[in-house]
Amino acid sequence: MDVDLRKLRYFVAVAEELHFGRAAARLHIAQPVLSRQIRAFEHELRAELFVRDRRSTVLTEAGRQLLADARPLLASAEALRRRVQRAAHARPTFTIAFMPGIIVTAEARAIGQRHPDLSVGVVRTSWNDQVEVVHEGRADVSYVRLPVDQRGLRLRPLFGEPRVVVLPGDHRLAGKESIDLAELVEERLLQDPDAVPEWRDLPNRPTDPDPRPRPVLSSVEEKLEHVAAYGGVAILPLSTATFYTRPDVVHVPVNDLGPNQVCLAWAEGNRSPLVHEFVDIAVRRAQAIDRSPGATGE
């Protein structure tokens, strides 16, 4: 049986909304049409995907499994569509994604100089979409900061760099040359703890040091605004902290935090020779740059 991608998209919308009415509005179709399509999809899969009554819609175990598998499948299909469309254009394109603090000018120029007919573009990403851009085909390669979900990706390590804590300028720790992570145990971390796994392992860390919900922050600038307003602290790679400077925040090295690992990522299914050529350029460039603290190679 071939999986119908249209029905799969309908399923994902319902699974994310857990409400047929909202999902139908999101998909711009009538709710009865959506209900029929989901029932037909369940019949094709020979599995019940939702338990639904008048008050709620809940995923079954089969539904949860399908949702986990559906997202990367749909992303791959979208990436395929984008790559085919780009191949159909008279002038080929190559897009490089990068995280804040990482400069890719030299690499972009190098691939462009090797292929004068190639249109080279760049796109800045964030913690939330640094891998999605390659899954969805919006970028051919992406400079990512670990940890990331590596499913469906190929990764090539490039370099590591120290991590620092960003504090308000008048914070009690602001004047120190360096600190240990344990000295931050009472602080409110503004990021998703998945971005700083060591944070969860801190001994004697209060279960709920701050009752306020963690803000949803999509950019470094937003993190710095919250830090400056005493809304919490942020752990950032050194290059990011030094790139986004402002007078009311400071950054302090953290002794017992390992370096942030930067890798080049691309979709497993992307077989373009340009990708492998760019990987070689990026690796050579990373090896040539001194990234020790205080260096100015980047």
Side-chain angles (χ1 to χ4, degrees), residues 10 23-31 33-34 37:
Y10 289 174
R26 170 174 151 183
L27 294 165
H28 305 291
I29 62 175
Q31 183 175 335
V33 173
L34 178 59
Q37 291 293 319

Side-chain angles (χ1 to χ4, degrees), residues 167-183:
L167 306 164
D170 58 350
H171 192 278
R172 58 185 175 84
L173 300 173
K176 291 202 169 188
E177 291 187 5
S178 65
I179 64 170
D180 293 329
L181 191 61
E183 295 179 73

Side-chain angles (χ1 to χ4, degrees), residues 22 88 169 200 230 266 295:
R22 289 195 298 267
R200 292 191 295 258
Y230 250 84
W266 64 99

Side-chain angles (χ1 to χ4, degrees), residues 22-298:
R22 289 195 298 267
R26 170 174 151 183
L27 294 165
H28 305 291
I29 62 175
Q31 183 175 335
V33 173
L34 178 59
S35 297
R36 286 196 300 271
Q37 291 293 319
I38 294 298
R39 283 196 297 270
F41 198 31
E42 289 177 319
H43 178 74
E44 291 168 7
L45 294 174
R46 298 180 182 177
E48 185 180 36
L49 302 175
F50 299 99
V51 176
R52 43 199 183 270
D53 57 32
R54 292 182 179 179
R55 292 182 298 178
S56 66
T57 300
V58 180
L59 280 166
T60 64
E61 186 61 34
R64 285 191 289 271
Q65 181 62 59
L66 181 59
L67 181 60
D69 293 334
R71 286 169 171 151
L73 179 59
L74 290 175
S76 295
E78 176 62 17
L80 172 64
R81 184 189 66 81
R82 290 175 184 269
R83 288 197 295 268
V84 170
Q85 286 185 338
R86 286 204 300 268
H89 293 163
R91 188 177 185 188
T93 64
F94 190 84
T95 303
I96 306 157
F98 63 95
M99 285 283 282
I102 300 174
I103 297 174
V104 298
T105 308
E107 293 87 338
R109 284 177 176 170
I111 193 72
Q113 288 168 354
R114 291 189 184 190
H115 302 275
D117 62 333
L118 186 66
S119 177
V120 180
V122 296
V123 58
R124 196 191 80 160
T125 60
S126 68
W127 168 259
N128 296 322
D129 67 350
Q130 58 177 332
V131 297
E132 278 74 8
V133 290
V134 290
H135 283 314
E136 296 171 1
R138 289 186 282 133
D140 295 276
V141 295
S142 180
Y143 285 78
V144 301
R145 296 190 183 276
L146 298 187
V148 298
D149 184 348
Q150 299 185 22
R151 289 178 296 179
L153 296 176
R154 296 191 66 186
L155 269 69
R156 177 65 63 88
L158 294 178
F159 59 87
E161 60 173 309
R163 286 182 288 173
V164 300
V165 60
V166 183
L167 306 164
D170 58 350
H171 192 278
R172 58 185 175 84
L173 300 173
K176 291 202 169 188
E177 291 187 5
S178 65
I179 64 170
D180 293 329
L181 191 61
E183 295 179 73
L184 300 170
V185 69
E186 299 289 340
E187 301 292 337
R188 180 194 194 204
L189 183 68
L190 289 171
Q191 295 142 281
D192 183 337
D194 286 344
V196 192
E198 300 90 341
W199 186 266
R200 292 191 295 258
D201 299 328
L202 277 174
N204 305 316
R205 184 171 62 86
T207 303
D208 189 14
D210 193 311
R212 294 173 294 175
R214 183 182 295 108
V216 178
L217 306 175
S218 59
S219 69
V220 177
E221 293 89 342
E222 290 174 341
K223 290 186 179 74
L224 296 183
E225 283 291 340
H226 278 75
V227 169
Y230 250 84
V233 303
I235 304 293
L236 297 178
L238 178 61
S239 66
T240 306
T242 55
F243 188 83
Y244 293 88
T245 58
R246 50 185 291 168
D248 49 0
V249 301
V250 298
H251 62 266
V252 179
V254 183
N255 298 318
D256 49 348
L257 274 183
N260 172 243
Q261 181 67 51
V262 175
C263 297
L264 195 66
W266 64 99
E268 226 170 24
N270 191 345
R271 309 297 183 188
S272 169
L274 285 172
V275 169
H276 299 288
E277 187 175 351
F278 186 85
V279 171
D280 182 65
I281 291 171
V283 169
R284 290 176 183 272
R285 172 72 175 168
Q287 292 171 344
I289 295 177
D290 178 8
R291 297 182 187 274
S292 59
T296 57
E298 192 174 54

